Amino acid sequence: MRGRDFYLQYLVMILATHAITGALLAQVATTNPVAAFGLGFISHFALDALPHWDYQLASEVKNESDPLHKEFKTGPVFWRDLVKIGGDCLVGCLLVLGAVWWLDFDPWLAGAGLVGALVPDALQFAYAKLGWRPLKWLQAFHQAVHTSWRLTGRPLIGLGLQISLVAILFSALFLL
C-alpha cells in the first residue's frame, strides 16, 4: 500500500465514529450516566453491523484453529498499530470534548457514552491478549454482528459513509 491510500489508513475514524455516536446518543436519550454508558455500548454493535471500512492492524495474526482468538506480533509493528489506534481514539475524544465545550453537551453523559462505545473493542483486545473465558461469549457476539460486507480498498467511500453518519446524528440532535 503506497501513496494516498497508505496515508488515508491513518485518517480513518472507526473508533472516533464509535465515540461520537456514543456521546451523541447519550446526550439525547438519557440523563443517567449508567444508561449513557449502556447506550454507547449497544451503539458499538449497531455500528459494526453497518458496512464500513476498517483499517488493518499490521501486528494482527489470525488464529486459524480458534477464529475468536487473535495474536499480535510484538515489536515496532505493534507500537505503530497502537499509535494508529490511539490517534483514532484521540480524534474521537477531542471531537466529543469539542461538543462538550461548544455545544454544551453534558460532560458526564458524553463521557459515559463515549467510554461505553469504545469498551467493546477494548474487551476484544483484552480477550485476544488474555484469552479470558468470560469474554469469549462477547467476542463471539461481536464477530457475529460485525458486517461481512467490507469496504476494503475503498477508504474514501468508507470514510464518507462514516462522516455522513456522524453528520446525520448531529443534525438529528439539533432537530430534537
Side-chain angles (χ1 to χ4, degrees):
M1 185 181 327
R2 290 281 179 237
R4 181 181 51 136
D5 289 340
F6 177 79
Y7 294 105
L8 280 173
Q9 74 173 336
Y10 293 98
L11 299 174
V12 71
M13 292 180 19
I14 300 296
L15 290 175
T17 302
H18 284 299
I20 294 163
T21 301
L24 281 168
L25 289 175
Q27 194 64 41
V28 298
T30 186
T31 58
N32 180 323
V34 174
F37 178 91
L39 283 169
F41 191 82
I42 292 166
S43 76
H44 183 100
F45 300 108
L47 288 180
D48 275 357
L50 298 173
H52 60 276
W53 178 69
D54 289 332
Y55 49 76
Q56 300 301 308
L57 297 178
S59 62
E60 183 180 340
V61 179
K62 298 205 185 303
N63 185 334
E64 297 302 326
S65 64
D66 181 5
L68 294 179
H69 192 80
K70 297 175 183 170
E71 300 292 329
F72 292 89
K73 298 176 199 171
T74 57
V77 69
F78 179 76
W79 292 107
R80 279 193 299 276
D81 281 349
L82 277 181
V83 168
K84 185 189 308 185
I85 293 166
D88 184 9
C89 188
L90 179 63
V91 167
C93 291
L94 290 174
L95 290 171
V96 170
L97 185 61
V100 167
W101 183 264
W102 285 293
L103 301 177
D104 204 27
F105 275 26
D106 180 296
W108 292 106
L109 294 177
L114 175 149
V115 170
L118 297 180
V119 161
D121 280 343
L123 291 176
Q124 189 175 28
F125 182 75
Y127 177 75
K129 291 304 284 176
L130 305 173
W132 194 40
R133 298 217 31 97
L135 293 178
K136 188 171 186 171
W137 68 269
L138 183 63
Q139 178 67 0
F141 176 74
H142 200 161
Q143 286 190 354
V145 300
H146 212 277
T147 183
S148 60
W149 185 36
R150 300 296 175 99
L151 299 173
T152 304
R154 297 180 172 171
L156 291 178
I157 293 171
L159 288 171
L161 288 173
Q162 289 181 55
I163 291 168
S164 297
L165 173 68
V166 169
I168 290 167
L169 290 171
F170 264 108
S171 299
L173 172 71
F174 290 110
L175 294 175
L176 293 176

